[in-house]
Amino acid sequence: MPSLAIVGSQWGDEGKGKIVDYLAEEAHVVVRFQGGNNAGHSVKVGEELFKLHHLPSGILRKGKLAVIGNGVVIDPGVLIKEIDELESRGVSVENLRISDRAHVIMPYHRLLDGAEERLREGSKVGTTGRGIGPAYSDKASRTGIRMMDLVDEALLRERLGFMVPLKQRHLEVCGDGSRLDGDAILREYSGYGRRLSPFVADTGAAVRDALKRGRNVLFEGAQGTMLDIDHGTYPFVTSSITVAANAASGSGVPPSAIDDVYGVVKAYTTRVGEGPFPTELLDDLGRSIADKGGEFGTTTGRSRRCGWLDLMVTRHAHALSGFTGLALTKIDVLGGLGELKVCTGYRLDGKKVPAFPADLRVLQRCEPVYRRLKGWDDLDTATMEAVLRKGFSALPAEMKEYVRFVEKEMGVPVAMLGLGRRRHEILDMRKRKWKKR
Ligand code: IMP
C-alpha cells in the first residue's frame, strides 16, 4: 500500500508544509492526524503565499481528498475563516472531509489556556494560546465535545448544559473572571456545526478504503518530536502525540498500513516558546539565521530561537518514528555563514550521554559536542538551476559534505533536500517514488 507519513524531528517548524505540499502532487489523499490551529504552514505557490493552520497542505492541490483526522482538535470558527479565505482566492474545498470523532476547541478552552499559563508564572510553557492543551485535556477526561456533537444541535445543547457550568467553575478556580454565556455559545457553535456538517464524515473508513484501493495516502504531521506529549521535553511540549505511530491512530488506520516515514529535519534547529535548547545560539549569529530563515511563527508571529543542528534530537526522533528517509530542509539558509557546527552528542560531567534525557534538569547541564564543517556561499541562480537540472552532483562540495554527514550520523538517506522558499526548489532524491495514477 503506497502510504507515507511525514513527521517533524525537532521542535516543529521544520518546513513540513512545503514537503507535504510537494508530495501532495502525487498523493490522492492527504490526512492531518494531530494538533490543531497551533500549527502553521506557509506554502508559496507562484508568487502567492498561503498560510494554513487547520487545513491539510494538500488542500492547495486540485482534486485531492484533504482529511482532518480524528486525532486533530478543531477550532470551528478558525477553520471556517480558513475555508472562506481559500475560496475567496479561488481554491476549492469541496474535497475536504472532517472526522466526526475529532474534538472541538471551545471558547472556554482558549480562556483556560491563558488562565493556566498565567498561573504558571515562573514556569510558563509558552503555549500558542489557542486552547489546545485544555481541549486535549477534556478529550482525555471524557468531557470533550466532538464534531459529531457540533453538527447535532440537540446533542450540543445537552453537552453544553453539563460543560458550561463545569468550565465556569474551572475558570473561577484559575482566577479568570470571564462569564460564559451558554445560550450564546450554543447559538454560535450550532451555526458552525450547520456550516461544517457537509464536510463531517467517518474519515477513518474513507482513508482505509483509499488504502485498500491502492491510492497514494500522505499522512501530514504537525509540530515535532520534541513537542510530543510522551517523548518530548515535557512539560514544554504540546498536548498531542507527534511521532509517526499517531499517523495511524490519529487517522483511524492500522500501523501496518504505513509503508514509509520521512523525518523532516531542518538543517539547523529552532524552537518557539519556553524550555531547554542545548545548541541555542544567543548571539548575532542566531539572530542572523532567524532573519535569513524567516524564523517567525506562522501562528503567533513570535520569533523563533535558533541554534545549530542537534543530532541527539534528530536521532531521538528517528529512534521513535523509524524514518525510512529524511527531508533535509532550509539548507540554503546556512549559506554564507562561514564555518558551521553540528552537535553530534552531549557530554555530562565528562561522560558521553547515551540517549536523550527525560529529566530537563539533566538536559540543562548537558554540553553539546560539536563537529565543525566547512560552510559554502549562498546559492546563486545559475547554481540553483544547475542543481535542479543535474541533481545532487551540482551542489557546492561543502554542502554535499554536510548532507552526507547528516546521512551517515543518522543512518538514514536524505530523500528530499529543501533549497529555497519556492515550491520547485526541492531536490527530489527519493528511491521509492509513487506511481502517478
Ligand atoms: P500549545 O500546542 O499551544 O499548547 O503549545 C505548547 C508548546 O508547543 C509551546 O512551546 C508552543 O510554542 C509549541 N508549539 C505548538 N505548536 C507549534 C508549532 O506548530 N510549531 C512550533 N512550536 C509549536
Side-chain angles (χ1 to χ4, degrees):
M1 282 182 293
S3 61
L4 166 65
I6 303 291
V7 296
S9 63
Q10 293 149 319
W11 277 280
D13 308 315
E14 298 93 351
K16 294 177 293 295
K18 185 161 181 252
I19 296 296
V20 171
D21 173 66
Y22 177 91
L23 292 168
E25 190 182 3
E26 296 167 25
H28 300 105
V29 184
V30 183
V31 195
R32 256 201 74 182
F33 56 86
Q34 45 74 224
N37 56 321
N38 48 350
H41 289 160
S42 314
V43 184
K44 206 160 181 198
V45 183
E47 285 314 304
E48 275 202 84
L49 187 66
F50 289 89
K51 290 188 177 182
L52 304 176
H53 296 288
H54 262 317
L55 291 165
S57 304
I59 199 87
L60 298 175
R61 302 271 188 187
K62 265 198 197 123
K64 315 289 171 189
L65 193 65
V67 175
I68 301 181
N70 56 276
V72 175
V73 286
I74 299 169
D75 187 324
V78 173
L79 176 58
I80 290 168
K81 265 202 201 113
E82 218 164 293
I83 291 172
D84 288 345
E85 156 88 10
L86 284 194
E87 283 185 327
S88 74
R89 293 169 75 180
V91 180
S92 163
V93 294
E94 66 175 338
N95 286 336
L96 173 66
R97 300 288 180 276
I98 305 167
S99 171
D100 49 6
R101 291 174 165 86
H103 280 248
V104 180
I105 302 173
M106 300 299 291
Y108 43 78
H109 291 139
R110 285 191 301 270
L111 290 169
L112 283 167
D113 198 353
E116 287 174 3
E117 274 286 83
R118 282 192 295 278
L119 281 182
R120 282 190 200 107
E121 279 191 356
S123 56
K124 289 187 196 313
V125 175
T127 74
T128 60
R130 302 297 193 258
I132 307 295
Y136 276 114
S137 298
D138 275 1
K139 174 177 175 172
S141 303
R142 294 151 295 184
T143 52
I145 291 180
R146 297 191 289 173
M147 286 305 293
M148 54 158 286
D149 305 317
L150 191 78
V151 297
D152 180 331
E153 191 170 336
L155 211 49
L156 183 62
R157 178 177 288 111
E158 190 189 313
R159 309 284 293 112
L160 285 175
F162 174 71
M163 289 308 289
V164 170
L166 182 71
K167 292 296 162 180
Q168 186 65 66
R169 287 163 79 174
H170 195 161
L171 281 166
E172 280 157 22
V173 169
C174 292
D176 187 301
S178 310
R179 301 302 311 164
L180 298 175
D181 178 343
D183 292 336
I185 296 174
L186 178 64
R187 265 196 311 281
E188 184 183 348
Y189 280 72
S190 54
Y192 293 153
R194 278 193 294 279
R195 176 77 202 279
L196 292 174
S197 76
F199 302 109
V200 175
D202 180 351
T203 53
V207 180
R208 289 191 298 274
D209 181 57
L211 287 164
K212 212 182 275 171
R213 288 187 294 119
R215 311 255 98 189
N216 299 333
V217 180
L218 191 60
F219 298 92
E220 174 181 356
Q223 289 89 39
T225 306
M226 286 298 156
L227 293 173
D228 182 277
I229 184 90
D230 282 309
H231 302 287
T233 43
Y234 193 91
F236 301 102
V237 292
T238 191
S239 299
S240 62
I241 299 169
T242 62
V243 297
N246 199 25
S249 183
S251 310
V253 304
S256 55
I258 297 168
D259 299 319
D260 274 304
V261 179
Y262 284 0
V264 185
V265 174
K266 184 150 60 181
Y268 49 97
T269 311
T270 59
R271 159 153 225 191
V272 211
E274 306 303 319
F277 179 177
T279 63
E280 183 167 15
L281 288 162
L282 293 162
D283 52 9
D284 286 347
L285 187 56
R287 280 185 286 279
S288 73
I289 293 176
D291 283 343
K292 194 164 173 201
E295 297 296 352
F296 302 95
T298 316
T299 302
T300 58
R302 289 184 289 179
S303 61
R304 298 177 186 142
R305 300 152 66 192
C306 293
W308 296 119
L309 178 61
D310 186 341
L311 295 170
M312 274 301 268
V313 164
T314 55
R315 279 196 296 255
H316 181 59
H318 175 41
L320 295 162
S321 288
F323 302 144
T324 57
L326 300 178
L328 186 61
T329 59
K330 298 183 94 166
I331 197 163
D332 52 302
V333 174
L334 296 180
L337 294 184
E339 189 183 65
L340 305 172
K341 288 197 210 168
V342 175
C343 167
T344 54
Y346 299 155
R347 288 190 87 78
L348 182 64
D349 301 330
K351 289 199 197 91
K352 192 174 167 207
V353 177
F356 200 88
D359 186 338
L360 299 190
R361 292 165 306 180
V362 173
L363 182 62
Q364 244 139 7
R365 291 178 45 236
C366 286
E367 282 172 39
V369 177
Y370 286 111
R371 169 69 71 91
R372 291 166 189 272
L373 293 166
K374 281 193 193 140
W376 53 85
D377 291 334
D378 281 322
L379 293 183
D380 56 29
T381 317
T383 315
M384 179 72 91
E385 277 168 11
V387 172
L388 295 175
R389 215 176 41 248
K390 291 198 226 150
F392 189 76
S393 62
L395 287 171
E398 297 81 6
M399 195 192 275
K400 283 194 271 198
E401 198 46 47
Y402 195 90
V403 174
R404 290 204 185 101
F405 183 71
V406 172
E407 285 184 321
K408 190 164 143 272
E409 288 283 319
M410 293 286 292
V412 185
V414 170
M416 302 173 76
L417 187 63
L419 295 164
R421 266 176 87 80
R422 276 180 288 261
R423 203 177 216 180
H424 67 279
E425 288 173 337
I426 288 180
L427 187 57
D428 187 346
M429 302 186 281
R430 283 175 295 158
K431 297 218 168 56
R432 178 149 56 149
K433 289 200 188 157
W434 279 339
K435 282 194 210 108
K436 286 196 186 159
R437 290 155 210 251

